[in-house]
Amino acid sequence: MKLNITKPLVVFDLETTGLDIVKDRVIQISYIKVTPDGREERNNIFVNPQRVIPDEVVALTGITNEMVKEAKTFKEIAANLKDAFAGCDFAGFNSNFFDIPMLAEEFLRAGVDFDFSKVRLIDAHSIFCRMERRSLAAAYQFYCGRKMEDDFPPHRADNDTEATYRVLMAQLDKYNPETADDPEKVLHNDMDELAALSKSNDNVDFAGRIVWKDMVDANGKPLLDGEGNPRKQEAFNFGKYKGWYVTDVLRKDPGYYSWMLSSDFTNNTKQVLTRIRMREFMNKKG
């Protein structure tokens, strides 16, 4: 099945020095850029993390320090990646929980402001969990009818990217409304629907330090938008101001903003907080 897209879709996967979004770094990024006319552009890039790759990561991925020693750093490739990804939506496997937040952090560390809030994020893992609830290897066997280890060496970004792409295409085939066996398991070939299925939380930032919270009036009654849906506003999801609207905290305790910027929060969290602060400043100025 051909993807029904109106703008390019980047199917990607990362390998990293570890799972800490703040402290760890990318060592490999692989992606398939699919255009609306069906063309597929593949790219596989090793990245110098400027630190030693832990032995357990070498054992897991097969990517050694020697393999990335002469590779460019993420900062050196960030501008080209931004150009390649401009105007694209993104898809991955468990990407909304790790790969997208890690990629956003790497862009910010490189001084490149790539705004993921303006793109659709499609997570084949989230779709799979809603439909069948398993892992990438199980998803590959379930949807593609083969064992993943028979087709790919495990734990390499390029191989996982190929497997994810095949799983996503097979998901669209299996849950095609015209051929699906179960009317309750229908998946339309539509990027908005896939992105909605991939979203599983109300996070504003990737780390979930700031979340969307329903707005209420002075009597505690929910405020609705023009279409009758609850209006939402950013609220803190941690610490002494958990549950408070961010704008209320910025007015009540301006020093909280400075504290967060100087503390060990992700760059993405700090970026989201700064955007809220600047928006409120401009609204007040206007």
Side-chain angles (χ1 to χ4, degrees):
M1 175 181 288
K2 180 182 176 181
L3 286 170
N4 179 24
I5 55 178
T6 56
K7 63 179 182 177
L9 178 69
V10 172
V11 184
F12 83 107
D13 188 70
L14 304 177
E15 299 299 342
T16 64
T17 58
L19 300 177
D20 190 315
I21 292 171
V22 175
K23 297 178 181 178
D24 285 306
R25 299 293 185 268
V26 169
I27 57 176
Q28 183 190 18
I29 177 169
S30 178
Y31 66 87
I32 304 168
K33 184 176 178 179
V34 188
T35 57
D37 62 5
R39 289 184 295 111
E40 299 174 2
E41 171 192 336
R42 285 170 166 77
N43 205 352
N44 181 48
I45 306 168
F46 287 110
V47 182
N48 186 338
Q50 298 181 291
R51 62 190 59 197
V52 175
I53 302 174
D55 291 341
E56 59 269 24
V57 174
V58 174
L60 184 67
T61 66
I63 300 173
T64 66
N65 290 286
E66 188 68 23
M67 291 170 64
V68 300
K69 183 175 66 173
E70 302 299 327
K72 292 183 178 179
T73 65
F74 192 91
K75 187 172 184 178
E76 291 174 319
I77 66 172
N80 287 338
L81 285 178
K82 181 181 180 181
D83 290 342
F85 295 163
C88 297
D89 292 326
F90 287 80
F93 197 86
N94 203 35
S95 50
N96 285 2
F97 294 91
F98 180 75
D99 299 83
I100 287 292
M102 176 62 83
L103 185 58
E105 281 299 293
E106 287 283 35
F107 271 129
L108 289 169
R109 280 191 285 260
V112 173
D113 185 4
F114 191 95
D115 190 356
F116 283 96
S117 69
K118 299 184 182 301
V119 303
R120 289 172 291 197
L121 304 175
I122 297 160
D123 192 330
H125 178 263
S126 294
I127 295 171
F128 180 47
C129 286
R130 290 190 182 224
M131 297 293 187
E132 305 296 343
R133 303 189 182 279
R134 309 226 181 153
S135 66
L136 177 57
Y140 192 82
Q141 183 167 3
F142 183 86
Y143 289 110
C144 302
R146 293 178 55 81
K147 290 185 177 180
M148 188 173 166
E149 59 266 29
D150 291 342
D151 292 346
F152 306 106
H155 299 296
R156 285 287 295 269
D158 49 341
N159 296 322
D160 288 354
T161 294
E162 290 288 347
T164 298
Y165 184 38
R166 294 186 191 181
V167 167
L168 180 59
M169 300 294 283
Q171 285 175 332
L172 290 170
D173 280 331
K174 181 175 178 62
Y175 304 117
N176 186 331
E178 297 180 2
T179 58
D181 296 329
D182 188 344
E184 294 185 359
K185 291 183 179 180
V186 168
L187 197 62
H188 295 92
N189 192 347
D190 176 87
M191 297 302 110
D192 284 323
E193 179 175 323
L194 297 180
L197 277 172
S198 301
K199 185 175 176 60
S200 61
N201 55 51
D202 286 323
N203 292 355
V204 181
D205 65 327
F206 292 126
R209 298 292 189 172
I210 301 173
V211 296
W212 292 108
K213 180 182 177 182
D214 290 352
M215 298 177 65
V216 296
D217 61 19
N219 297 316
K221 184 178 179 180
L223 296 175
L224 305 179
D225 61 21
E227 298 180 354
N229 299 313
R231 292 174 57 189
K232 294 180 180 290
Q233 187 174 340
E234 303 95 340
F236 285 116
N237 193 36
F238 73 99
K240 64 180 181 180
Y241 291 121
K242 183 174 182 178
W244 286 52
Y245 294 126
V246 173
T247 52
D248 290 344
V249 174
L250 293 178
R251 285 191 291 267
K252 176 183 183 297
D253 186 358
Y256 201 68
Y257 170 77
S258 300
W259 172 76
M260 286 193 64
L261 288 194
S262 63
S263 299
D264 195 21
F265 293 97
T266 67
N267 289 320
N268 173 253
T269 298
K270 295 174 183 179
Q271 181 188 52
V272 168
L273 181 61
T274 298
R275 285 177 176 166
I276 296 171
R277 185 170 181 263
M278 291 303 298
R279 182 192 69 203
E280 293 305 303
F281 174 78
M282 297 304 296
N283 288 344
K284 185 184 297 183
K285 187 177 179 180

